[in-house]
């Protein structure tokens, strides 16, 4: 189901960008997808009597990106990324890097999450990360965990000069991005304020701005 939804949303994103999806065949268009759960694929592979030749690729994480590249005959990088909650943001970062390096002329970047089995819910609840009422209360003093979400989003990215040259409708400009890891903290799922400040400074430096020169909202992504 995650592969199918990505195909649908990726197609819609290209149409929204004014790019005929079938017109990119043979191009170096890249696909970068963030994902952090594989509930349906895990269930397929555990049902041994029904496993067939196509089960493996139907359950594979890599196919979340590869299926789009295959269907549209895209020849650029095709990458599925799992960095937990930040997966779709990291996918956007990697897409930007691919565009800047000239690997891709167009990039599809996004993320998908579906909750199709109870295992992750049970584990996350035991770890104390889920809100008892199942509701995220972002930026609220009553925040007590998060509610897992389902959905899919895909962006169509180009270098700004290329978009202007091609007469594309530009909705937003990404002027800088950065990725890091929290390193050793009080627990492997616990954040580090120091490390997160560091990555914000790096992103601002790459954008040519200072952290105190802008207002920003800090949040993160897939499945939350």
């Amino acid at each position: 189901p995650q592969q199918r939804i990505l195909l649908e949303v990726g197609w819609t994103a290209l149409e929204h960008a004014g790019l005929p999806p079938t017109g990119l065949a043979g191009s170096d268009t890249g696909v970068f997808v963030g994902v952090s759960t594989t509930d349906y694929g895990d269930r397929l592979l555990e049902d041994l009597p029904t496993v067939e030749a196509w089960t493996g690729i139907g359950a594979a994480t890599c196919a979340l990106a590869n299926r789009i590249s295959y269907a549209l005959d895209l020849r650029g990088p095709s990458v599925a990324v799992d960095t937990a909650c930040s997966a779709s943001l990291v996918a956007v970062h990697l897409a930007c890097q691919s565009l800047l390096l000239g690997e891709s002329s167009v990039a599809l970047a996004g993320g998908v999450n579906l909750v199709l089995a109870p295992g992750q819910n049970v584990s996350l609840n035991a770890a104390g990360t889920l809100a008892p009422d199942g509701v995220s209360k972002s930026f609220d003093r009553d925040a007590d965990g998060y509610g897992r979400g389902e959905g899919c989003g895909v962006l169509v990215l180009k270098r700004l000069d290329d978009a202007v040259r091609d007469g594309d409708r530009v909705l937003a400009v990404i002027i800088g991005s950065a990725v890091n890891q929290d390193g050793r903290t009080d627990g492997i799922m616990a954040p580090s304020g120091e490390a997160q400040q560091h990555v914000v400074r790096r992103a601002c430096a790459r954008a040519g701005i200072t952290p105190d020169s802008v207002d920003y909202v800090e949040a993160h992504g897939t499945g939350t």
Side-chain angles (χ1 to χ4, degrees):
Q2 293 187 142
Q3 293 181 24
R4 183 173 66 249
I5 289 173
L6 274 166
L7 283 168
E8 294 171 354
V9 176
W11 184 286
T12 300
L14 288 168
E15 287 185 332
H16 188 264
L19 298 176
T22 57
L24 296 173
S27 72
D28 56 1
T29 298
V31 181
F32 302 83
V33 174
V35 60
S36 59
T37 60
T38 55
D39 293 355
Y40 191 78
D42 293 343
R43 295 181 69 177
L44 286 180
L45 292 172
E46 290 170 0
D47 189 5
L48 297 182
T50 66
V51 170
E52 57 178 10
W54 300 110
T55 305
I57 195 66
T61 303
C62 65
L64 289 162
N66 300 164
R67 186 76 69 182
I68 296 174
S69 301
Y70 173 79
L72 300 181
D73 191 22
L74 308 179
R75 308 293 176 84
S78 189
V79 181
V81 183
D82 180 4
T83 59
C85 299
S86 64
S88 53
L89 290 177
V90 174
V92 171
H93 171 79
L94 294 177
C96 290
Q97 296 302 306
S98 183
L99 289 166
L100 291 172
L101 290 171
E103 290 180 332
S104 304
S105 55
V106 178
L108 296 177
V112 64
N113 191 67
L114 291 179
V115 180
L116 302 173
Q120 286 284 355
N121 279 353
V122 173
S123 176
L124 290 168
N125 189 59
T129 64
L130 297 184
D133 60 1
V135 177
S136 298
K137 307 170 190 68
S138 304
F139 316 114
D140 193 303
R141 69 178 61 195
D142 294 326
D144 55 357
Y146 76 97
R148 297 184 69 201
E150 297 181 295
C152 179
V154 176
L155 304 177
V156 179
L157 303 176
K158 269 187 175 183
R159 291 179 289 270
L160 180 59
D161 288 348
D162 293 349
V164 172
R165 178 200 65 202
D166 297 338
D168 294 327
R169 176 180 53 177
V170 178
L171 300 181
V173 178
I174 299 172
I175 60 173
S177 65
V179 171
N180 77 343
Q181 222 280 344
D182 287 312
R184 181 172 294 174
T185 61
D186 291 337
I188 194 168
M189 292 192 293
S192 164
E194 181 181 354
Q196 294 188 10
Q197 291 171 34
H198 178 65
V199 77
V200 169
R201 293 191 188 100
R202 286 177 57 198
C204 288
R206 290 180 180 175
I209 61 176
T210 58
D212 59 358
S213 67
V214 294
D215 294 324
Y216 71 97
V217 174
E218 182 176 327
H220 68 161
T222 306
T224 61

